[in-house]
Amino acid sequence: MAMRHTRFNMNELAKRAAEAAGDAHTQCVQVEKFSDGMFNKSFLFTMQDGTQVVGKAPNPNAGLAHYTTASEVATMDFVRNRLGTPAPKVLAWSSKAKENPVGAEYIIMEKIAGVQLEEIWPKLDIKDRLEVVKAISGYQKSWMSTSFAQYGSLYYSSDIFENSEGCSLIGENESETREPRFAVGPSTGREFLDDGRMELNFDRGPRSSAEQYKTAIGLRELICVQEITKLPQSSISLYGPGTYYPSRSQKVAALNTYPRMLKFLLPTDTSISSSFLWHPDLHAENIFVTPERPWQVLGIIDWQSSELLPLFDHARQPYLLDHDGPPISGIDPPAFPQNYDQLDSAEQDKAQSLYLKMSLAALYRRYTYTTNERLYKAMEFRETTSFDMMLLAQNLLIDGEALYQSRVLDLEGEWSSLPGVQAYGNPPFPVQLSADEAASIEQDVSGSIKGMELMRDLRKLLGEAWPEKGVVPHDQYDQAKALLKQAKMETIGRMAHSEDERVAWSKSWPFDD
């Protein structure tokens, strides 16, 4: 809650909104607060003539002062006016909290028409859902019409550099042009900010190649592991006696293997390593559509924390296609459950719902394969061992070092088959681990799996009351607290075999009593 508390002058923000919405005589007559998000306070301002605009002020956890707001504004301008995406038009803004009468950073922007896709998505049949997905795919293709020579986040040149010459833009025909209004600067991505990273000083970019960018990620994690006051708690595992328990030395050991392998893990097809600007959180709440024709996208909001990344880092399916079932690969449709006739009616409904969701994800992949080959190649690369190793390494501050080291052991056996290794003439495996180190890693993996199973059991127990990212709805708060207290007692009773172990489990329990 403390990280989401921000103080500012609401009257001054309403005044800025009125000035942005009309002439000097316009007055704001009503302010409505939107539901709190994770990182911002947002409001709907209504003027005396009925005009409405949206205002937002970032919470302290949104990102680095000045940079987060400045990058979001420049990004919305670029995607709206250069990439043809219906991002909100910014009417007024300030990234300097101490230099404006509001007393906080803010953005005033137009109110997008239509409704959030989330409101109507559950009611749409698969045909209409596919049309929506095609529309989103069209915007993804437009984002790929322009790549950048650097990796980081986008800004107005005047906001980060003096006498900047701007940034280099690369068109679909590989022609390079200079854009003086915009510049690539430090990354504002969430992985550069969350879990205590925001408070530490390290190089956030920009970088000039995918290898430099990925190398910087390993250095970022190493610096944070070494300097952060307290290691963050994993969201996927419970730690205590009888499970794996993370330490700085184990994380450092894992991160020291990463740079030795990195250049061999990068894709040999450099076209999918190019730097592109992408929406960071493409879910149904951030997409506004015409209710009667939901494939007509009227606006895509929330460009905060957007990054210029290698295409293969962007190339996941839109979050609105995520489902609680097996991941989709290839372009073939999923198989219908063979035991469908043996299920009861409730289980049949559940199976059919999952099948339709998986079918839609498969249709998205097939449509991408047909209309956007480069993006599909990036999606395929994300299914490789090489990508998995890079993905695991970029969050080792939080968790995964045991599994990462285990994958390093396994990787030696398939090393010569990796395309990146073959491209460099099949050099020997660059990591040497002793038999004792290998045995210790396997023991750590066993404990880590046990800890993840405990967390899965806990999540299953709480069901809809599960505190996603530490947050629960107000009406489920008491229920969640009671269930967590019950789970704590049951877990300690099952896992602790002595008073010392009971104390240790109690201290490591990640939820408040």
Side-chain angles (χ1 to χ4, degrees):
M1 293 294 286
M3 288 298 292
R4 294 173 175 82
H5 178 79
T6 183
R7 183 182 296 274
F8 58 90
N9 189 321
M10 176 57 80
N11 288 333
E12 288 293 340
L13 185 61
K15 187 183 296 184
R16 300 285 86 73
E19 292 172 353
D23 56 37
H25 303 291
T26 300
Q27 291 187 355
C28 177
V29 296
Q30 185 175 353
V31 180
E32 300 173 59
K33 185 175 183 296
F34 291 116
S35 297
D36 274 353
M38 295 295 290
F39 306 109
N40 302 278
K41 301 287 186 294
S42 301
F43 309 89
L44 179 64
F45 297 96
T46 302
M47 309 306 150
Q48 58 195 143
D49 63 355
T51 301
Q52 293 183 315
V53 297
V54 172
K56 62 184 289 188
N59 298 334
N61 65 340
L64 299 176
H66 168 64
Y67 289 97
T68 299
T69 297
S71 179
E72 182 178 6
V73 170
T75 296
M76 286 193 286
D77 183 349
F78 191 90
V79 299
R80 177 185 173 88
N81 295 303
R82 293 296 297 264
L83 301 181
T85 300
K89 181 180 180 180
V90 174
L91 305 175
W93 66 284
S94 173
S95 62
K96 303 294 181 64
K98 296 181 179 180
E99 298 178 12
N100 68 67
V102 175
E105 298 180 33
Y106 66 87
I107 302 174
I108 306 295
M109 66 195 94
E110 67 175 351
K111 179 181 180 292
I112 298 295
V115 299
Q116 287 177 304
L117 179 59
E118 182 185 46
E119 294 181 23
I120 61 173
W121 183 257
K123 307 171 189 175
L124 301 180
D125 59 29
I126 192 167
K127 181 180 178 181
D128 284 345
R129 290 188 182 190
L130 179 58
E131 292 303 313
V132 174
V133 168
K134 286 181 178 180
I136 298 301
S137 296
Y139 289 117
Q140 290 180 326
K141 191 165 186 177
S142 73
W143 302 340
M144 291 175 58
S145 65
T146 301
S147 64
F148 295 77
Q150 292 177 294
Y151 302 76
S153 286
L154 191 64
Y155 301 83
Y156 291 127
S157 300
S158 57
D159 283 324
I160 55 170
F161 299 120
E162 292 185 7
N163 304 317
S164 170
E165 296 181 359
C167 63
S168 293
L169 305 180
I170 303 168
E172 291 179 291
N173 59 358
E174 299 302 316
S175 62
E176 186 171 338
T177 59
R178 203 75 187 171
E179 172 50 77
R181 291 185 62 227
F182 296 94
V184 181
S187 175
T188 61
R190 297 276 14 129
E191 287 187 349
F192 283 84
L193 303 168
D194 291 343
D195 300 297
R197 296 182 180 97
M198 188 163 61
E199 286 74 36
L200 300 180
N201 291 319
F202 54 84
D203 189 352
R204 291 174 165 82
R207 302 291 175 176
S208 298
S209 70
E211 184 174 351
Q212 287 182 10
Y213 170 73
K214 288 296 183 180
T215 299
I217 285 178
L219 291 172
R220 175 197 74 196
E221 294 298 277
L222 185 60
I223 290 170
C224 291
V225 166
Q226 293 173 328
E227 296 186 6
I228 202 164
T229 303
K230 182 181 179 182
L231 289 176
Q233 171 64 42
S234 169
S235 62
I236 64 172
S237 182
L238 289 178
Y239 298 137
T243 73
Y244 169 76
Y245 203 87
S247 70
R248 295 181 197 274
S249 61
Q250 291 162 314
K251 291 179 181 293
V252 168
L255 284 163
N256 282 337
T257 67
Y258 171 72
R260 300 180 219 168
M261 300 185 297
L262 175 59
K263 72 177 183 179
F264 306 109
L265 302 176
L266 291 165
T268 54
D269 181 354
T270 56
S271 73
I272 66 173
S273 295
S274 298
S275 171
F276 289 99
L277 180 59
W278 216 259
H279 192 283
D281 194 14
L282 203 55
H283 59 71
E285 289 184 359
N286 287 334
I287 301 170
F288 283 74
V289 298
T290 303
E292 301 80 15
R293 296 178 299 281
W295 51 90
Q296 292 187 347
V297 177
L298 300 177
I300 300 177
I301 66 169
D302 197 4
W303 294 84
Q304 191 177 77
S305 303
S306 296
E307 293 178 278
L308 302 168
L309 299 182
L311 180 61
F312 62 79
D313 274 340
H314 287 312
R316 74 177 311 279
Q317 69 180 20
Y319 288 100
L320 61 94
L321 297 181
D322 287 352
H323 55 270
D324 189 14
I328 299 297
S329 61
I331 58 174
D332 294 328
F336 195 77
Q338 293 182 348
N339 64 337
Y340 181 79
D341 292 336
Q342 302 169 14
L343 303 176
D344 63 34
S345 59
E347 291 173 329
Q348 285 183 342
D349 289 344
K350 185 176 180 181
Q352 188 175 51
S353 175
L354 177 59
Y355 173 75
L356 290 175
K357 291 176 181 178
M358 293 174 64
S359 297
L360 186 61
L363 287 169
Y364 166 74
R365 290 180 64 89
R366 177 176 284 276
Y367 186 75
T368 302
Y369 173 79
T370 303
T371 63
N372 196 341
E373 182 181 3
R374 190 178 188 180
L375 181 58
Y376 187 79
K377 286 181 180 179
M379 292 166 62
E380 285 189 308
F381 178 72
R382 291 176 66 91
E383 299 167 5
T384 64
T385 298
S386 296
F387 178 78
D388 280 347
M389 295 302 295
M390 289 190 288
L391 185 65
L392 277 171
Q394 69 189 41
N395 202 36
L396 289 179
L397 170 65
I398 316 301
D399 51 39
E401 62 275 5
L403 293 175
Y404 177 81
Q405 290 288 66
S406 178
R407 293 293 300 274
V408 171
L409 291 175
D410 294 339
L411 191 61
E412 185 172 9
E414 57 179 304
W415 183 249
S416 61
S417 67
L418 297 183
V421 174
Q422 295 172 359
Y424 278 96
N426 289 303
F429 190 61
V431 179
Q432 299 298 321
L433 296 170
S434 68
D436 287 344
E437 288 173 322
S440 178
I441 288 170
E442 293 303 330
Q443 184 177 358
D444 288 344
V445 169
S446 177
S448 180
I449 292 173
K450 185 179 293 185
M452 288 190 287
E453 289 173 347
L454 288 172
M455 186 67 91
R456 280 198 295 267
D457 291 344
L458 179 59
R459 188 167 191 151
K460 185 176 180 180
L461 171 67
L462 267 72
E464 293 184 357
W466 175 254
E468 190 68 40
K469 297 183 180 179
V471 177
V472 294
H474 292 293
D475 59 354
Q476 295 178 354
Y477 180 76
D478 292 335
Q479 177 192 9
K481 294 275 281 189
L483 288 172
L484 286 169
K485 185 175 182 179
Q486 174 190 339
K488 178 180 180 181
M489 294 173 61
E490 292 178 356
T491 301
I492 294 177
R494 184 166 75 252
M495 297 297 297
H497 303 292
S498 67
E499 182 60 30
D500 287 344
E501 289 188 355
R502 280 191 287 273
V503 172
W505 265 108
S506 184
K507 286 183 177 179
S508 66
W509 189 254
F511 303 100
D512 293 336
D513 291 333

